[in-house]
Amino acid sequence: MTKPAFMDRAHDGILQLHAYEPGKPISDLQRELGLTSIIKLASNENPLGVAPAAAQALASWDGNLSRYPDGNGLALKQKLAARHAISVNRITLGNGSNDVLELVARIFLGPGRNAVFSQYAFAVYPIATRGTNAEPRIVPALGVDDAMPYGHDLDAFADYIDDNTGVVFVASPNNPTGTWLPPAAIETFLDATPAHVVVVLDEAYLEYQDEDKRVDSRALLERYPNLIVARTFSKIFGMAGLRVGYALSSPQMADLLNRIRQPFNVNELAQHCASAALDDRDFITRSQCENEIEREALVKALQDRGLSCLPTQANFITFDCGQPSTPLFDALLREGVIVRPLASYGMRQHLRVTIGTGDDNRVFLAALDRVLAAR
Ligand SMILES: Cc1ncc(COP(=O)(O)O)c(C=O)c1O
């Protein structure tokens, strides 16, 4: 088939992109392999499901879907404001935190601008950057012998930042590595970063981090008006399917974000459920505790098998298979276990596995043993 004429009209940034590859859906694998028992440990969702308070809010919702949602998301923003002790005019809601990342890119990037982020950082950063035809500048990650192998080398970021830098994306904990940044390193970095550069601190996995390792991003917002903190309901709140995230920032930044936000970017049901989920402290605590216990057990189990794991403070583990990992990923699929191959990140020997329930993890390990034994 001949190439349609409009294809050459897409800008260079878009032409250099490949569509984001999401974790394989369970239904695809069911269809392709006819398997009945499948576990998905590929997208860092909460294995305990939706926060019960959100599920309850969904079941009892008596709103009207024929109406547009509250475009200002006021009720949810008020709850978030109370939670973070921050004013409502410093909060921007997103259709997932992915939406927030896109908004930031659209405001501060474009031809002639660049965005700086680490090698092995979240896959959406290059997509958001190239989507505006800006230049991605990739800072080499810390070496394998570093205490935080494959982690962000924040000291080196300065060498990549210049007058044309619009945005720096920093993820802590980072996906797909699970690595994190010490609070002092984040502060030193913000001090050294020119005020015209917008720094996005992506905290999608913050709630899984040990409390003593977390940065007080709320306090940082007071000191750095160029800082945006991105958070999500997709991970520990168990609401990935509903798509709610948000940005905390200075009021001026929130004003810019709101200017280009789709007027109704977060649907009514999602807002309603997110408000309810915020109150579900028991579920959050249970999710944190179970993740911590299972994370430790799974890291140990992988290490006992001679597989080295990256340090992680998230709800997933990235480990070195000591061999090309895509064939192992394929073999695990045939066993009914979906994990994440990382070749698209340039990590050809690594797999990322989301920490599941104890049962999920046992099924995964048994499947992994069979797959490794067959090689
Ligand atoms: C580091 C990081 N940031 C942001 C997101 C986006 O999450 P969502 O758009 O579901 O809020 C993800 C999702 O995997 C992530 O891993």
Side-chain angles (χ1 to χ4, degrees):
M1 207 172 79
T2 53
K3 188 166 75 170
F6 60 79
M7 289 298 281
D8 290 333
R9 290 296 181 107
H11 68 61
D12 285 350
I14 303 278
L15 292 175
Q16 286 175 54
L17 278 175
H18 299 283
Y20 177 83
E21 238 180 78
K24 200 175 183 64
I26 289 178
S27 52
D28 277 17
L29 194 60
Q30 268 165 347
R31 204 172 40 244
E32 287 167 17
L33 298 181
L35 297 173
T36 45
S37 170
I38 293 174
I39 56 165
K40 183 181 175 213
L41 300 172
S43 301
N44 305 336
E45 296 138 339
N46 188 334
L48 303 182
V50 185
Q56 170 97 51
L58 185 64
S60 61
W61 188 65
D62 63 353
N64 183 350
L65 283 180
S66 71
R67 301 281 182 202
Y68 283 104
D70 171 5
N72 289 322
L74 196 59
L76 175 55
K77 286 209 281 197
Q78 279 170 337
K79 287 200 93 157
L80 286 168
R83 170 59 51 89
H84 295 297
I86 200 170
S87 57
V88 164
N89 65 352
R90 299 171 66 143
I91 302 171
T92 311
L93 297 183
N95 192 251
S97 56
N98 203 122
D99 193 19
V100 168
L101 304 176
E102 292 282 347
L103 294 176
V104 176
R106 275 174 58 208
I107 297 170
F108 296 104
L109 298 177
R113 295 273 177 89
N114 65 73
V116 175
F117 49 88
S118 179
Q119 186 184 14
Y120 314 125
F122 182 40
V124 165
Y125 307 155
I127 295 175
T129 304
R130 287 207 191 277
T132 71
N133 212 358
E135 175 203 352
R137 289 201 177 163
I138 299 172
V139 186
L142 293 168
V144 284
D145 297 327
D146 195 275
M148 199 60 80
Y150 292 81
H152 290 15
D153 184 357
L154 267 195
D155 290 340
F157 273 49
D159 296 340
Y160 292 78
I161 294 174
D162 62 18
D163 285 349
N164 296 320
T165 302
V167 183
V168 175
F169 293 106
V170 171
S172 184
N174 178 50
N175 172 20
T177 57
T179 51
W180 67 98
L181 289 159
I186 297 176
E187 272 190 65
T188 307
F189 173 70
L190 286 167
D191 277 336
T193 301
H196 71 269
V197 175
V198 172
V199 178
V200 177
L201 178 58
D202 184 342
E203 296 191 323
Y205 300 95
L206 172 93
E207 297 88 348
Y208 286 112
Q209 208 175 4
D210 300 342
E211 276 188 34
D212 62 352
K213 294 192 175 64
R214 295 182 197 173
V215 68
D216 185 352
S217 47
R218 164 75 193 76
L220 294 179
L221 286 168
E222 297 298 332
R223 287 166 47 202
Y224 304 98
N226 57 333
L227 175 66
I228 298 176
V229 175
R231 296 275 184 90
T232 185
F233 283 89
S234 299
K235 305 301 177 186
I236 207 160
F237 291 98
M239 291 176 44
L242 275 171
R243 315 301 303 129
V244 194
Y246 59 99
L248 304 176
S249 69
S250 60
Q252 296 90 336
M253 187 75 78
D255 174 37
L256 292 179
L257 291 165
N258 274 300
R259 288 186 202 188
I260 57 156
R261 184 178 60 77
Q262 271 189 49
F264 305 105
N265 62 337
V266 182
N267 74 70
E268 194 72 29
L269 263 179
Q271 291 184 34
H272 179 67
C273 293
S275 290
L278 270 180
D279 291 330
D280 206 334
R281 303 247 184 185
D282 287 352
F283 178 71
I284 302 306
T285 306
R286 188 158 61 89
S287 300
Q288 286 164 331
C289 292
E290 293 209 8
N291 186 68
E292 199 180 322
I293 292 166
E294 291 301 328
R295 183 167 63 196
E296 200 182 321
L298 196 49
V299 165
K300 181 165 183 316
L302 290 166
Q303 284 171 343
D304 287 349
R305 288 160 171 80
L307 302 166
S308 84
C309 301
L310 299 188
T312 177
Q313 275 286 296
N315 65 338
F316 55 85
I317 300 167
T318 293
F319 61 97
D320 189 342
C321 302
Q323 57 185 295
S325 61
T326 302
L328 290 178
F329 161 75
D330 288 332
L332 283 168
L333 282 184
R334 290 190 290 275
E335 296 276 342
V337 177
I338 313 175
V339 295
R340 195 77 136 106
L342 297 179
S344 62
Y345 281 91
M347 299 172 77
R348 292 180 197 290
Q349 299 222 119
H350 288 81
L351 286 176
R352 189 193 73 195
V353 59
T354 302
I355 296 157
T357 61
D359 283 347
D360 292 340
N361 299 337
R362 275 185 286 280
V363 171
F364 158 68
L365 286 169
L368 184 66
D369 285 341
R370 286 192 293 276
V371 161
L372 288 173
R375 302 201 72 76

